[in-house]
Every structure is written in C-alpha cells, then in structure tokens.
Amino acid sequence: MTLKDFFTQHKKVAIAFSGGVDSAYLLFAAKSNGALVCAYYVKSEFQPRFEYEDALRFAAELGVQLRVLDVKVLENDCVRGNPAERCYYCKQTIFGAIQKAAAKDGFFVLLDGTNASDEAGERPGMRALKEFSVYSPLRECGLTKAKVRRLSEAAGLFTWDKPAYACLATRIPAGEEITEQKLLAVEKSEDFLFSLGFTDFRVRTQGKHAKIQLPEAGFPRLLAHREEILAELKKYFDEVTLDLQPRKR
C-alpha cells in the first residue's frame, strides 16, 4: 500500500499532530493526496514551547486547519505518579481528548505519525493507539524514519532534519513523581543549551541532579561553555554532570 492508496480509501481524516518529522510529513501527504484533513495538537505540560510554535508554523505554511487542545495530563494520577506504563496512561488521556474533539468536528478516522522504524511490540503507548483504533499510515506503508526525512526534504518541508524530541516527561526516571516545576526546569535548561548551538541532546534528571547527554561531537562545545552552562543550570538543579557515554541518535 502507498500513502496515495491509503488516502484514496480514507478521504476525511484527523491527524494527531506533534509538529515533529513524522506527523508533519503525514499531514503534508494527506493534503497532497486530496484528503479533507484536520490536525489536532495537544498542548500539555509535557510539550516544550518550540514544538507548539513549530506546529503552528507548519500548519500555517501548509494551509491546513489546526485545532489546539489544552490537556492537563498531570491531572491524571497514573501519569503524574510516573509508573513504568506512564506512556500508556498519557496516550489514553491525549488520544481520548483528540478523538472526542475530532468526532465533534465530524472526523471519525484518526491517524498518528508512527513510522516503520518504530518497534510496535507491546509498548505501552502502542497499546493505547490500538485501543483507540488509530491508524498509522507511515508504518502501514513501510516508510521508515530515514525515508520520511528524505521525502520531507524533497517536499521542501522545514521539519525534514528536525531532531527527534521525546516529551519532557522522558527526562524524569520512572517511579519519580512528575511535577510542573521539574518539567519547567528541564525545558529551561534545554532551551539554554539550544541557544548555545547544541542539538540532539537531553537533560535527564534524578531529584535535584541533572545529567547532560550529548553526541560526542558536542563535547568540545560543552567544555568551551562549561562555566555559563553550570551557572544557568544550577538555577534549577543542585548538581549538574555530563554523561561521558556519548548519546547516539
């Protein structure tokens, strides 16, 4: 099956849109193949500001309808408590909100940007997608992350080389309660590193300790900016360290 085949069969669709590489290309493909499409962006405590801004920009440039849904995921105790299956409860909350809004708007086929490189298995988030009968056209059509990037570049989409960016909750270890304060500390720390030119990194936390994970190519830059990084991140954390094992995409 190709994406053209998929959208020939499904002419009216709602897309869970994150502003990332995969869902952006899926939104582009839906419009390019003549589908009536509406994108739904969930604005929650787990998404950094730049993802929201990218989503707004992309939808505007593409000329598609975008609905922004404010969802307080931390009001779900099963999410806030951060158990091993947090992603399942979070996806339930998010896709429940999208499905409800989409149905009210007259859209009954819901899609997401899972691609063929994503291992489905029994991952908690994937299980939630199945429960909501969410279609994943990129995966169904055999499009890997690398292929999606190539197609996005060819289409001139600004998202084509955007680094993967998991939600802020992934920075906090399972079992440690998630709070807005902790998420904000991570977001501000990562924003600062972005401002210094770092890419494809993470600031992971444990209590009041932050660990910076970088590709090996980023180590010299970090050493060059060591003092200012420490000064900034110590506004939010008592201890700041560098993971000497390089981060790999």
Side-chain angles (χ1 to χ4, degrees):
M1 177 185 286
T2 65
L3 287 177
K4 183 177 180 180
D5 295 330
F6 182 89
F7 289 113
T8 297
Q9 296 175 24
H10 304 89
K11 298 181 181 296
K12 186 177 182 181
V13 297
I15 293 180
F17 181 51
S18 68
V21 179
D22 299 318
S23 61
Y25 184 72
L26 182 61
L27 188 56
F28 166 79
K31 184 181 180 185
S32 299
N33 285 287
L36 177 61
V37 58
C38 183
Y40 292 82
Y41 179 88
V42 170
K43 190 178 180 183
S44 78
E45 304 96 322
F46 287 1
Q47 271 59 53
R49 178 75 186 181
F50 78 84
E51 291 279 44
Y52 173 59
E53 292 171 349
D54 281 356
L56 293 178
R57 174 188 167 189
F58 189 87
E61 290 184 2
L62 199 59
V64 299
Q65 182 181 4
L66 175 67
R67 287 277 313 275
V68 177
L69 308 177
D70 284 301
V71 178
K72 300 296 184 184
V73 292
L74 289 182
E75 290 182 359
N76 183 332
D77 291 341
C78 292
V79 175
R80 186 182 183 89
N82 201 16
E85 293 206 332
R86 179 205 70 242
C87 191
Y88 170 73
Y89 299 113
C90 185
K91 293 281 190 188
Q92 273 193 325
T93 302
I94 288 173
F95 278 89
I98 294 175
Q99 191 174 71
K100 182 178 179 180
K104 188 175 180 180
D105 294 337
F107 291 86
F108 300 99
V109 176
L110 179 56
L111 318 180
D112 91 313
T114 301
N115 65 59
S117 299
D118 295 321
E119 297 178 6
E122 288 301 317
R123 290 197 302 174
M126 294 291 192
R127 194 167 80 245
L129 297 184
K130 290 180 182 178
E131 291 177 4
F132 282 95
S133 300
V134 176
Y135 289 91
S136 300
L138 301 179
R139 183 175 181 80
E140 292 177 29
C141 295
L143 297 179
T144 62
K145 172 71 80 173
K147 180 68 172 177
V148 170
R149 287 190 185 279
R150 290 196 297 272
L151 291 170
S152 297
E153 182 179 18
L157 307 182
F158 76 83
T159 52
W160 78 270
D161 64 344
K162 186 175 179 179
Y165 193 88
C167 81
L168 293 171
T170 62
R171 314 300 196 269
I172 301 172
E176 182 179 318
E177 183 184 29
I178 301 172
T179 66
E180 288 191 53
Q181 183 179 12
K182 292 176 184 177
L183 296 171
L184 186 60
V186 170
E187 183 175 3
K188 286 184 175 296
S189 297
E190 294 193 347
D191 279 349
F192 183 72
L193 292 178
F194 275 125
S195 75
L196 295 177
F198 291 95
T199 60
D200 198 24
F201 63 89
R202 298 287 186 268
V203 175
R204 300 200 184 277
T205 75
Q206 187 165 17
K208 294 294 290 181
H209 170 215
K211 179 187 289 185
I212 301 172
Q213 295 180 329
L214 295 170
E216 190 169 1
F219 284 15
R221 181 186 296 270
L222 183 135
L223 292 175
H225 294 279
R226 175 179 172 274
E227 292 301 329
E228 55 194 299
I229 290 172
L230 282 173
E232 180 64 23
L233 269 61
K234 283 207 166 186
K235 294 177 182 178
Y236 317 109
F237 300 100
D238 293 339
E239 186 178 354
V240 180
T241 60
L242 170 65
D243 190 338
L244 292 179
Q245 182 170 322
R247 172 176 164 76
K248 296 180 181 179
R249 176 177 286 188

